[in-house]
Amino acid sequence: MKKLFYIATIASLLFSCKQEIAEEKVVDDGLISVTEAQFQSSKMEIGSPMEQDFEVTVKSSGKIDVPPQYRAKVTTFLGGYVKATKLLVGDKVAKGQALITLENTDYLDLQKDYVEVAEQINYLKSEFERQKTLYNEKITSQKNYLKAESDYRQAKGMYQGLGEKLVLLNINPANVERGKFTSQITISAPISGDVTVMNANVGMFMSPSDVILEIVDTNYLHLNLSIFEKDILHVKQGQKITFKVPEASKEQFSSNVQLVGKSIESKNRTISVFGTLSLDIKGKLLSGMFVEANIITAAKKGFGVPSDAIITENDKHYVLVLNSKTSDYKFKKVAVTVGEKSEKFIEIMLDDTINAQTKLLTKGVFELTN
């Protein structure tokens, strides 16, 4: 029984001590109290809102991209089986470099058709000229003349069309006419750049609708941002852009507005804005990276406090205003309206409660509120 009494007494004393410790910080009227010793040990500081230069920004998001002419999706004009390729994602290629070899008997059929038309065309041309001469001398009928002309022109068109198809397949028509047939074709790089997508394996059949590989010229990387309709009148060519790649780095990069779109996308009511990138920045970024950006549209004066002085709760912002200083520091939590942000300061709107002379806690807020 005595043991239970002692336990109850000790528990009561512990509860009383905890209550006293809590009361050292929070007192009546919602004030937060801090002793001189606590203030000094936590290296807290008190200051007033200071006039600062703030940049007026438009927030946007987008990605690292390249202009359409510097991104190529390589396909085939006529399907075939992959015979050979040595490329991997990340490999650099030069314009005109051999990328992949395809094989198909359909290529032989096309060459055979071309040779057959080539053989016929000389005869049809000769017949057309003969009929033309006979028609001019009134020896043959107009019907025979027109038939010969039609046959010749039709064969000539087919001959030229088949020749263009061979050129598209990188097959030399002159070699075909000399009897040099091939069942393989080589696809070359349409632009210089880096291989970013590779969908081909040896033995795989690639149809004309398949993207064999994709090449991106990273020398032409740029920012592709989207801004909302309400902000478009503030954004102009030449304005500075600061941006981050949140998923990859905390580093902040700089750019400038190069182009501003001239039409609004009806689906999400946004406008495209393009920004230039310097060579050293391009070397750190990859096509397709997601970015968060601020477009600096103007500069203004305003009163600000250090970022650490702001408390954010449920999308509302507060500061701790010095209410009195006796033996303890007593602070009152006051709601404020924030404006622009700089690297270290946040603008607050002055009112009847807070002015340029108001004393508030500028350092140690986090330790105190937590």
Side-chain angles (χ1 to χ4, degrees), residues 184-203:
Q184 298 179 3
I185 63 170
T186 300
I187 298 177
S188 303
I191 63 171
S192 299
D194 300 316
V195 177
T196 57
V197 175
M198 185 65 184
N199 295 322
N201 294 318
V202 173

Side-chain angles (χ1 to χ4, degrees), residues 167-210:
V167 171
L168 287 174
L169 292 172
N170 288 328
I171 298 175
N172 189 339
N175 290 339
V176 175
E177 288 192 51
R178 289 195 293 268
K180 295 181 179 180
F181 286 20
T182 179
S183 62
Q184 298 179 3
I185 63 170
T186 300
I187 298 177
S188 303
I191 63 171
S192 299
D194 300 316
V195 177
T196 57
V197 175
M198 185 65 184
N199 295 322
N201 294 318
V202 173
M204 180 184 294
F205 183 81
M206 308 302 298
S207 68
S209 61
D210 293 331

Side-chain angles (χ1 to χ4, degrees), residues 26-44:
V26 182
V27 298
D28 292 337
D29 301 325
L31 298 180
I32 300 176
S33 179
V34 181
T35 66
E36 180 70 31
Q38 289 172 327
F39 189 90
Q40 296 297 333
S41 64
S42 297
K43 298 181 179 180
M44 297 180 181

Side-chain angles (χ1 to χ4, degrees), residues 87-298:
L87 295 175
L88 296 173
V89 172
D91 284 341
K92 289 187 176 296
V93 296
K95 184 177 181 179
Q97 177 182 332
L99 300 176
I100 191 168
T101 301
L102 300 180
E103 187 174 40
N104 197 339
T105 56
D106 289 348
Y107 308 148
L108 295 173
D109 294 337
L110 182 62
Q111 295 166 81
K112 180 174 66 69
D113 293 342
Y114 177 76
V115 169
E116 287 178 355
V117 175
E119 292 293 331
Q120 293 176 7
I121 201 166
N122 290 329
Y123 165 74
L124 293 173
K125 181 181 180 182
S126 176
E127 179 64 15
F128 163 64
E129 291 174 348
R130 189 177 74 84
Q131 290 292 335
K132 183 178 180 181
T133 302
L134 293 175
Y135 175 71
N136 290 334
E137 295 176 357
K138 308 296 182 181
I139 299 174
T140 189
S141 66
Q142 185 181 25
K143 179 180 178 181
N144 291 336
Y145 163 64
L146 294 177
K147 173 82 168 49
E149 182 183 27
S150 175
D151 291 342
Y152 169 64
R153 294 191 183 280
Q154 185 177 355
K156 186 178 179 182
M158 187 176 296
Y159 173 78
Q160 292 175 341
L162 290 172
E164 289 299 321
K165 284 185 178 182
L166 292 175
V167 171
L168 287 174
L169 292 172
N170 288 328
I171 298 175
N172 189 339
N175 290 339
V176 175
E177 288 192 51
R178 289 195 293 268
K180 295 181 179 180
F181 286 20
T182 179
S183 62
Q184 298 179 3
I185 63 170
T186 300
I187 298 177
S188 303
I191 63 171
S192 299
D194 300 316
V195 177
T196 57
V197 175
M198 185 65 184
N199 295 322
N201 294 318
V202 173
M204 180 184 294
F205 183 81
M206 308 302 298
S207 68
S209 61
D210 293 331
V211 176
I212 300 173
L213 54 86
E214 186 171 337
I215 302 170
V216 173
D217 192 341
T218 54
N219 292 321
Y220 296 91
L221 288 177
H222 67 179
L223 275 181
N224 186 350
L225 304 175
S226 295
I227 60 173
F228 290 105
E229 185 177 359
K230 63 182 179 65
D231 298 319
I232 186 56
L233 296 180
H234 305 293
V235 178
K236 294 178 177 59
Q237 188 175 3
Q239 290 174 337
K240 184 179 178 182
I241 303 172
T242 60
F243 69 94
K244 292 182 178 180
V245 184
E247 297 299 325
S249 170
K250 293 183 179 180
E251 185 178 355
Q252 180 168 287
F253 303 99
S254 297
S255 177
N256 292 93
V257 176
Q258 181 184 27
L259 291 172
V260 180
K262 301 300 181 183
S263 63
I264 298 173
E265 296 181 13
S266 57
K267 184 178 180 180
N268 50 16
R269 307 300 295 174
T270 60
I271 300 163
S272 295
V273 174
F274 301 95
T276 57
L277 296 175
S278 62
L279 287 175
D280 59 325
I281 293 178
K282 290 177 184 177
K284 300 177 181 179
L285 303 176
L286 299 174
S287 175
M289 280 182 163
F290 172 78
V291 301
E292 292 177 347
N294 290 314
I295 303 172
I296 301 170
T297 58

